[in-house]
Each structure stands twice: as C-alpha cells, then as structure tokens.
Amino acid sequence: MRERAVSGHPDSTGRTPGATLPSVTEREGSTNASTSRPAPPSSCDASARCDDTAASLGDYRAAFHTASLPMAVLNRDGLVLAANPALGELVGSDPDDLVAATAADLTDLGADPRVWAAYREVLCGRSDRLRSTRRVKRSDGSSVWVEVTVEAVAEGPLGGAERVLLSLADISDRHDLLARLRHLQMHDPVTRLPNRTLFFERLTAALEAAAFERSGTGRIGLCYLDLDGFKAVNDTLGHRVGDRLLSAVAQRLTGCAEHTGERGPGRAGHLVARLGGDEFALLVEDSTGTDQLAELAQSVLDALQRPFDLAGQRLSVSASIGVVERTASGTTATGLMQAADTTLYWAKEDGKARWTLFDPERNAHRMTRQALSSTLRPAVDRGEFTLEYQPLVGLGDGRAQGVEALVRWRHPQFGVLSPNRFIALAEENGAIVELGRWVLERACYQARAWQLAHPGGEPLFVSVNVAVRQVWDSDLVADVAGILAETGLPPQLLQLELTESAVMGSAGRPLQALQALSDMGVRIAIDDFGTGYSNLAYLSRLPVSVLKLDGSFVHGFRSQEHPNPADEMIVEALVALAHRLGLTVTAECVESAEQAERLRRIGCDTGQGWLYSRPVAPDLVEALLDAGRACS
Ligand code: C2E
Ligand code: MG
Ligand code: MG
C-alpha cells in the first residue's frame, strides 16, 4: 500500500502511477543502491521508517510541483519520468505530455558533440553534473535560452542513483544582453558590417570546420578589397561624406554577397566584413574554385561602377581586389590574409580598378626579392660579391683598351646571381652605396694590379657602373679620390658609367660631383644611351666624354638578308654628332663580326660584346693581356 501511496496514487494533476515520480520499489530494487546504502538505524522500527519515507516523499513531490525552477526527473536512458509545471510552462506544453520524452531533444543537448558526450557521462553515472547553455524550442515555435543542469540524484525518496535531475534556468534576458554587447563589439558602427575581430573568428572557424567536415568542398576563398583613392574623398569632402560612402559601398557588397552566395544548395550569403579604413573582405566558405571567386570579384567591381548619390553629391569610386582561393587544409587565417594582402597590392600595382588572382609563382618571386633585399648589406660584409670583367675593344684594331667591371652575387642559397636580380633592390634599399663602394675599390685594385704586372704597354682602363643613388647618398667624389689614392691607380684609368636618366636634369650636387670627378681626370660615360631622352645637346654641356650606345641599336643591325637601314642610319648620325661634340662612342652587345664591321665603317670607336668576350674572371683578362690584348 505504501508503494502505491507513493508511486501509484494519482496526484493533483491526475497523473497515472507509471508516469509520475519514481516508485519506492524501483528505488529499493536497485542492487547497487542497496549494497552501497548505509543500514537504517537499528532503533527505528519498520513502520516508523515507512511513515517517514512517505512523509518526506510527499514533501519532495510538493516541492517539485510548486518549484518555480523548471525541472524533470529522468531515468538513466535520458527519458523524462516526471516534469514539473514550471518546465511545462517554459516549453509551452502540459507537463504530462513531456513524460517519456527524450530530455536531450527537449533541451538541445544532442546538438553539440562535446555537450552530448558530457551528458552521457552523467547518465552513465561516471560524472556528477553537467551545465550547459542551450536554446530550447517552445511548442509555439519561439525559443528561449536556458542554463541546463543535469545531475545525478542523491540517495533519497526520489529514487537515488537510478535517477537524474534535469533543471533549467531561464537566462534569456542575460543572454540577450550579452548577445547585444557582443554584436556591438563585433560590428563596425559606420557600415554595420562585421568587423575585423568577427571576420577572423569566422575565418578561423570556417577553416577548422572545413578541415574536419567531409560534407563541404574543403576549400575556402577570399576577396580582399580596398577602395582606390578613398583618402582623397575624406580629404576633399570630409569624413561625413567618407563615412556615407563606406556605408553605401557596404550595402552594395552585401548585395553582391547575397546574390552570388545564395546560388548553391542550402547556402546563405557570403560573409562581408569591414576590416578597417576602406578595406573590406568577402569570405566564401566551401568555395568551388577560382571561377567562383573571380565571378564574385567581378560582380563587386560591376556593382561599384555605378556612381553613388550621397545627399546630392555624385561620387564615383573604384576598387582593387586581391582574390585568393585554396584548399582549407594546411591554410591558416594569417596565411590566407597575407596572401590576400599581397594580391591586393598586386592589383594596385597593376593599375587599380581590377581584381587580381593570387599567383604562387609571383609570390615566390616576391619572397625571393624580399630575401635578397634583406640580405644585401650583410652579403657585402661577408664577401659574397665578385667582379667579372668584359673587354672594351677598339673597333679599328680589335685590341682591348679597357674592361667593364660587372658585379655578380655568389649567393649561398640561390647560386650566382646576375646584377639584374639585385642592383635595383640595392638601389631601393640604399645598400647600393656600400656595394658600389666595394665594386669601385675592388675594380681599381684590380686595374692597378694589371698595370703593375704589365709595365711596358698601354695600361687597361676600368669602367665601373655607378648608380644614381651613389651620387646622391654618398660622397662619391671623396670615395673616388680616396680609392684612387689608396690603390695608386691613375685617374685616367678609371671610367664611371652613369645612365642618361641619372644625369638628366643634373643640377646642384650631382652636376658638381660630375664636374669634380672630371676635373680629377676620371672619364664619365653615359651607359645604355638611346633608351632614355637621347638628348645629346644637353649631354654635351655636361662633363661627359663617352657614349655607350645601347645594345638594342646593334640588335637592329639585322643580317645581310634582313637589313634594318633605319637603325644603321640612326647610329651613323649619332656617331657623327657625338664626334662633333667631342664624345667617343662605344657600341654594346656586339655579337657578330658583321655587326662589328658595320660599326667600324660607321665610325664607332669601341665595341663590347660576346663577339670579343663574355664577362670573365680577372685571371682570364690577365691571359688576354699576356696574349697582347687581341680580341679578334
Ligand atoms: P650594362 O652596364 O649595360 O652592362 C652590360 C651588360 O650587357 C652586362 O650584363 C653584359 O654581360 C651584357 N652583355 C655584354 N655583351 C653582350 C652581348 O653581346 N649580348 C648581350 N645580349 N648582352 C651582353 P650584366 O653583367 O648582367 O649587367 C647588367 C647590368 O647590371 C649592367 O648593364 C649594369 O647596368 C648593371 N651592373 C652591373 N654591374 C654593376 C655594378 O657594379 N654597379 C651598378 N650600379 N650596376 C651594375
Ligand atoms: Mg655599364
Ligand atoms: Mg650598358
């Protein structure tokens, strides 16, 4: 009877015995419980014990039913044995209808694998408690945020170790407040788009998901966009107009992302974020390839092409976009952003108002450039540079009159590098000053050594290339004077080659330097003449004594069957004019005897090229001197 009184008696809600609080029989039938439970006090007789139990069970039931905290008692399979009215009210159902329901479905405990595993641990008795914030669906379709607690029930009238108590605390208000705060924290107030922080959070999550889930494409894509000339808008029209423009751009980007993002089955639009300033990003999760990204980037350019109407102001803007698309595995958020940043830079460099796709080869080239640029200076100190010399040959007698010093970098990683790979970099970062000084010193030592080794004959002069930055950023005149004094090389045996663009418009310091060098007795040659302004009239007023005709002129001297008379006529006129102005002429890139013969007939003074010799190590020049300098 006591059993029935507890478990079989219909309660105030009219529940049937099987669907109500667990029975005492069930509880006591638990072998585990009975072995572990302490023995009842010996002073207590059996009927008194039953009365106490019934009374306390009644108290428990009353508490359970009147509690404002939504609760349910579960069995070890996670099925609801009893639910209180507060829980019924929370989920919008009659509490009786919840009996036999799966608690995990009711409280969304199965959605997250980690929460689900922890929940199973509590059900199995391996863990005492689980707490998790979940979103519970109500019967009317609305949902409510709750903190779910699942805990093993202690020994007692509720059924002891066989039972688990589920309780739910409504935290919707707190959750909404936190969500609002998070939204503010993660969104840009001007455009209302996700900000950089949220973008990186989503990007990282997308990369993780793509690496673990098999359902997607396993790829990821990114368009990284920067408005062209936005600073001018801010500067000329003010920040208010600038902000409005950003907001209008954001709307168009969102339109593109929604339009192209929705096309796949079950897809939402792509994430659009403002990363700062006038930079935006469109993230394509589960991308299908570069075509998809290219299409998106083009749609963005098209969308931005229409002028913006901002409170009476009509504004046109364009954008540059760096596009990256790759497999997600092995890709990090920072790696992807770096690639996008580089590609955006290329898009700007290539002329703006365009999208550019990431190119691994171009990137490798850039990385090599960076690696070279940063190691140039230490490489000078480590002695990684060497000089080769190429004869400058008299076209009349075919004898070497001088040599041009040409620098090479014996790079420990990349092998021997030609100057075209690093001179421009050295000019950019200023290392050319140290490198140029080293070249000058080494070449002068070498020329002096040849002179001393062959005291009898006419000595060879050395021609050294000088970059414009050496004239501006160092005291070239003092360096030359010091090196000549130190090496003992007569100034007449030194020629300096500068390009025409370097001396064009020379005024002030460069002109004074040229004059001082010339006064010292050093010859100045204009290198690659014909590729720049070709302003002979101007050059004749500078202290220049040699013109080195660019190789392209000689290349124009085609073979006998395909003559190019124009090139020949130009060279003829140039040589005549140069001679009238007191300049001598050297032709570069003489590769055939035929070219040499025509140059000789035209009146060109010296030639340099593979016909005579490639640039060679100093000991081969030595051998040439020993052989009487005959180059042809
Ligand atoms: P550049 O001063 O006009 O030097 C001539 C270049 O033409 C050399 O290339 C030489 O190897 C190449 N050349 C010579 N004969 C022929 C030929 O018959 N056919 C063809 N196709 N090419 C020929 P290199 O050594 O690669 O030097 C390239 C450029 O690097 C030089 O052009 C010069 O502007 C620069 N450079 C070389 N050494 C130095 C240096 O020490 N300082 C500075 N500032 N620039 C240097
Ligand atoms: Mg040169
Ligand atoms: Mg040249």
Side-chain angles (χ1 to χ4, degrees):
M1 281 301 285
R2 260 174 283 154
E3 277 173 41
R4 292 224 334 259
V6 175
S7 64
H9 188 267
D11 65 11
S12 56
T13 59
R15 274 181 243 167
T16 56
T20 185
L21 285 177
S23 74
V24 174
T25 309
E26 273 175 10
R27 172 172 63 84
E28 291 187 339
S30 158
T31 49
N32 284 347
S34 60
T35 48
S36 61
R37 206 174 307 137
S42 59
S43 61
C44 178
D45 68 38
S47 71
R49 220 170 65 223
C50 288
D51 287 349
D52 283 354
T53 309
S56 62
L57 187 55
D59 290 346
Y60 274 112
R61 290 179 62 208
F64 182 75
H65 286 291
T66 53
S68 58
L69 184 70
M71 286 188 281
V73 178
L74 316 179
N75 67 13
R76 289 286 179 181
D77 292 327
L79 297 178
V80 174
L81 297 176
N84 73 353
L87 181 61
E89 196 180 322
L90 182 89
V91 299
S93 304
D94 187 314
D96 282 348
D97 294 342
L98 299 176
V99 171
T102 307
D105 294 344
L106 210 61
T107 52
D108 193 37
L109 286 170
D112 180 331
R114 271 177 303 185
V115 174
W116 172 247
Y119 173 57
R120 298 293 313 161
E121 292 289 287
V122 178
L123 289 184
C124 298
R126 281 198 290 269
S127 163
D128 286 340
R129 174 188 290 205
L130 157 74
R131 255 206 186 123
S132 175
T133 300
R134 317 299 313 159
R135 188 173 170 168
V136 170
K137 275 238 168 73
R138 312 185 68 198
S139 57
D140 62 3
S142 63
S143 58
V144 51
W145 283 96
V146 294
E147 185 174 72
V148 177
T149 305
V150 186
E151 52 196 324
V153 174
E155 292 294 327
L158 280 179
E162 287 303 298
R163 302 289 179 254
V164 170
L165 185 67
L166 172 84
S167 57
L168 281 66
D170 184 344
I171 56 161
S172 289
D173 289 348
R174 179 158 49 114
H175 192 274
D176 287 352
L177 183 64
L178 283 175
R180 273 207 298 279
L181 283 175
R182 192 180 135 81
H183 186 90
L184 284 176
Q185 215 175 16
M186 297 289 195
H187 286 77
D188 160 48
V190 175
T191 60
R192 297 176 195 278
L193 288 178
N195 63 12
R196 195 177 189 87
T197 315
L198 181 53
F199 174 79
F200 268 91
E201 202 176 284
R202 280 279 299 272
L203 173 58
T204 310
L207 286 169
E208 269 174 23
F212 289 111
E213 282 168 17
R214 284 176 200 285
S215 53
T217 61
R219 301 187 69 84
I220 194 144
L222 179 67
C223 289
Y224 186 22
L225 175 149
D226 182 290
L227 297 181
D228 301 325
F230 177 71
K231 190 177 174 304
V233 175
N234 259 348
D235 289 351
T236 54
L237 301 171
H239 283 80
R240 280 254 295 263
V241 177
D243 282 358
R244 278 193 197 151
L245 176 62
L246 288 174
S247 172
V249 165
Q251 270 176 25
R252 293 204 190 163
L253 295 183
T254 307
C256 292
E258 279 169 0
H259 178 67
T260 54
E262 275 167 0
R263 263 183 260 161
R267 325 206 124 251
H270 311 305
L271 176 76
V272 184
R274 180 181 176 207
L275 301 189
D278 58 345
E279 288 171 21
F280 296 86
L282 290 93
L283 180 68
V284 180
E285 295 179 42
D286 279 328
S287 59
T288 54
T290 50
D291 285 355
Q292 185 192 13
L293 269 291
E295 194 187 329
L296 174 62
Q298 189 55 51
S299 76
V300 167
L301 290 184
D302 294 345
L304 296 182
Q305 220 163 34
R306 276 178 288 123
F308 290 86
D309 211 337
L310 304 175
Q313 303 254 27
R314 244 171 114 76
L315 273 181
S316 290
V317 288
S318 66
S320 302
I321 310 176
V323 179
V324 185
E325 203 280 335
R326 51 177 63 166
T327 51
S329 82
T331 299
T332 60
T334 22
L336 193 73
M337 286 312 291
Q338 259 167 16
D341 193 42
T342 303
T343 318
L344 172 60
Y345 175 76
W346 293 341
K348 295 257 179 206
E349 197 182 47
D350 293 349
K352 302 183 179 170
R354 70 193 56 224
W355 58 266
T356 299
L357 190 63
F358 180 75
D359 173 359
E361 235 174 74
R362 189 170 173 182
N363 190 47
H365 182 72
R366 182 189 66 98
M367 304 277 273
T368 319
R369 264 177 70 90
Q370 253 170 20
L372 291 183
S373 178
S374 59
T375 51
L376 262 164
R377 255 177 245 266
V380 178
D381 298 333
R382 283 197 298 261
E384 287 176 8
F385 293 93
T386 55
L387 291 184
E388 286 188 337
Y389 299 88
Q390 189 175 31
L392 298 155
V393 180
L395 284 168
D397 59 5
R399 283 165 56 84
Q401 298 175 358
V403 286
E404 178 175 1
L406 295 159
V407 68
R408 275 88 182 91
W409 185 354
R410 277 204 297 237
H411 196 281
Q413 197 184 340
F414 304 118
V416 178
L417 301 178
S418 87
N420 296 330
R421 294 281 301 277
F422 58 85
I423 289 292
L425 293 177
E427 288 206 61
E428 267 170 38
N429 73 9
I432 193 69
V433 170
E434 277 143 277
L435 177 60
R437 199 178 288 132
W438 178 85
V439 170
L440 194 63
E441 195 170 17
R442 189 71 231 125
C444 289
Y445 263 110
Q446 187 58 71
R448 176 67 175 154
W450 286 323
Q451 188 192 15
L452 294 176
H454 298 268
E458 179 80 0
L460 276 185
F461 71 85
V462 69
S463 194
V464 177
N465 293 284
V466 174
V468 63
R469 210 164 159 177
Q470 284 175 264
V471 188
W472 279 106
D473 291 5
S474 66
D475 193 344
L476 183 66
V477 180
D479 283 348
V480 169
I483 289 168
L484 290 177
E486 191 185 305
T487 59
L489 186 75
Q492 296 71 25
L493 295 189
L494 177 63
Q495 174 172 293
L496 298 179
E497 298 188 14
L498 286 107
T499 59
E500 197 184 355
S501 54
V503 297
M504 261 324 269
S506 292
R509 190 184 163 107
L511 183 58
Q512 283 164 16
L514 290 186
Q515 196 58 58
L517 289 164
S518 173
D519 292 348
M520 222 185 273
V522 172
R523 242 174 314 150
I524 308 291
I526 299 299
D527 203 356
D528 306 333
F529 183 80
T531 54
Y533 307 90
S534 307
N535 188 341
L536 264 179
Y538 177 77
L539 287 179
S540 69
R541 275 182 251 129
L542 300 179
V544 170
S545 41
V546 181
L547 280 192
K548 292 190 74 179
L549 281 189
D550 188 66
S552 55
F553 286 109
V554 181
H555 280 141
F557 287 24
R558 297 279 166 216
S559 60
Q560 213 90 53
E561 301 89 67
H562 308 286
N564 187 346
D567 270 321
E568 218 168 308
M569 276 161 62
I570 291 170
V571 173
E572 196 170 351
L574 275 178
V575 171
L577 201 55
H579 284 169
R580 294 270 297 274
L581 294 168
L583 302 167
T584 59
V585 182
T586 302
E588 297 179 350
C589 293
V590 183
E591 294 181 356
S592 71
E594 196 186 318
Q595 288 170 339
E597 176 52 22
R598 289 207 226 165
L599 286 165
R600 191 191 61 76
R601 268 196 271 133
I602 283 170
C604 199
D605 306 284
T606 42
Q608 174 183 6
W610 297 345
L611 169 66
Y612 308 109
S613 167
R614 299 245 171 186
V616 293
D619 50 347
L620 286 173
V621 177
E622 191 78 48
L624 181 76
L625 287 170
D626 290 339
R629 303 207 239 164
C631 286
S632 58

